[in-house]
Amino acid sequence: AIGNDMRDAVELALDHLGRKMGNSDVKMFYEDDTFKPAVGKQKTEKLVKKDKVHFVTGYIWSHVLMASRNSVVGKGPFMITSNAGPGPVAGKLCHEDFFSTSWQNDQTTMAMGEGLRMLCIKTLYVVFVIHISRSPRATTCSSWSPPSDLINILHTPLCHSRFSVSF
């Protein structure tokens, strides 16, 4: 899973750095949000309040990050996201205690929409995972199409893995 890959990468980097950053020893804490916003928020609060971490990072899913954000931002630690990029944190919820190393979720679909427009694609069937960025992604994709174009959008549950039954 992507979370394991991220953890392994951090551990490898820390091993190469002698488990130090600058002259400071580094102690890592790991938690699993199980793809659930409520669990992610609970684990984040534990890291901030009980473990008193200086950084909270590793969020993969935007809906988990959004549920956890207020437990970190403005509370002392610095929040870094390496994958999740919900639009609100790039806009009205932007904060000096938050940093993204990846992208804002809408960038992918904006580029896709522009490419479709340039290729004069008139009909499209889009499958989106249901989570925090559902509406912006669907809107971004459809915003590049003239009103006469047909766009069908199917939203699937996060755990959905057999798409053939959806069509």
Side-chain angles (χ1 to χ4, degrees):
I2 191 172
N4 292 335
D5 294 338
M6 290 172 65
R7 182 199 61 228
D8 292 348
V10 167
E11 288 297 317
L12 180 62
L14 287 173
D15 287 347
H16 282 280
L17 295 170
R19 306 213 55 90
K20 290 184 177 287
M21 288 189 184
N23 292 326
S24 299
D25 291 332
V26 175
K27 182 177 180 183
M28 296 298 296
F29 297 84
Y30 295 99
E31 296 291 346
D32 184 359
D33 58 42
T34 68
F35 303 117
K36 297 177 184 142
V39 173
K41 182 178 184 337
Q42 178 185 29
K43 303 283 184 159
T44 298
E45 288 176 350
K46 175 195 169 287
L47 290 167
V48 172
K49 293 177 181 174
K50 181 179 178 225
D51 298 324
K52 302 197 183 310
V53 298
H54 298 278
F55 296 90
V56 181
T57 188
Y59 294 95
I60 296 169
W61 302 100
S62 295
H63 65 300
V64 175
L65 182 135
M66 290 300 294
S68 305
R69 179 195 171 275
N70 291 342
S71 298
V72 179
V73 172
K75 306 286 192 290
F78 197 71
M79 180 178 240
I80 303 171
T81 181
S82 52
N83 189 67
V89 298
K92 67 179 181 176
L93 295 178
C94 181
H95 193 277
E96 62 187 8
D97 292 344
F98 179 86
F99 183 77
S100 175
T101 63
S102 58
W103 53 77
Q104 197 266 331
N105 289 345
D106 292 341
Q107 288 174 307
T108 306
T109 51
M110 288 174 73
M112 182 180 77
E114 177 65 8
L116 292 170
R117 186 190 63 74
M118 291 170 61
L119 293 170
C120 299
I121 301 295
K122 298 294 181 191
T123 304
L124 184 66
Y125 200 100
V126 182
V127 179
F128 286 107
V129 173
I130 296 173
H131 74 308
I132 191 77
S133 62
R134 174 179 73 179
S135 295
R137 284 189 178 197
T139 302
T140 300
C141 183
S142 62
S143 68
W144 286 106
S145 301
S148 61
D149 288 353
L150 172 65
I151 294 185
N152 294 312
I153 298 173
L154 172 68
H155 292 105
T156 66
L158 186 61
C159 60
H160 199 71
S161 62
R162 301 189 77 202
F163 295 102
S164 60
V165 296
S166 299
F167 297 111

